[in-house]
Structures are given as C-alpha cells and as structure tokens.
Amino acid sequence: MLNEGEYVFCIVPDLNTISREDTLFEFKEKEGVTVVLKKMKADKLNLKYDYVASWITLTVHSSLNAVGLTATFSEALAKNGISCNVVAAYLHDHIFVAKKDAEKVIDVLKGLSERF
C-alpha cells in the first residue's frame, strides 16, 4: 500500500528539539537521533535532508521472527535497480523508496505477490 505524502530522514541532536507528534518514527544512534517525518513538516522546522521518499506498507502481517521476507522483496527491487530502506514494525514491514520509483515499486511488489 502506497501511503500518501513525501517523507524524509533527518538527524536531530536529541528528541527535545522536535515533537514526537511530528515524527513517523525515530531511531537513536550514537551521533544523534534519526527521525522520519513528512517533508512538509521538516521544511517548516528547517531540518536538513537529502532523500525524499515514498512510504510503502506491506499489507501482509509479518512476524519479527520471519525469515526471508525482506530478502525476497529487496532482491526483486534490486533486480529493477531500486534501492529501499526497510523498517520492521510489530505487524508490518514498511519500505521507503525514492519518490520517483514509487509506482514502479508497487508494480514489482504486485508481481511478486502474484507469484506466492
């Protein structure tokens, strides 16, 4: 499922500089906190980014213990010259792809799901 909007990955020194209501998710790294949020919100907050992405949710329920799901779809995308950034949540996997590739990704994933 292609979610509406444009999303960006930004880094902030700590979460006190941004409202968690504005973030889709965050990940603490040694150098700072990576936040993913809508591009429009990042622009309003003057946050820097260099990658504008579309957010795609895989609608199949996936287990955090599942083996091979990420490899299967990332290999299919790689064969089509598409990079993806994967986020595993509790119920679903989510992928972020360059905005220009979103429709192609949907086609690749639909073709993949028809094979299984």
Side-chain angles (χ1 to χ4, degrees), residues 4 24 62 77 82 87:
E4 193 173 310
L24 181 59
S62 58
L77 295 176
I82 301 168
V87 176

Side-chain angles (χ1 to χ4, degrees), residues 4-5 15 35 38-39 53 55 57-58 62 71 83 95 109:
E4 193 173 310
L15 286 176
V35 294
K38 286 193 169 188
K39 178 183 175 295
W55 167 28
T57 300
L58 302 183
S62 58
S83 73
I95 58 176
L109 293 175

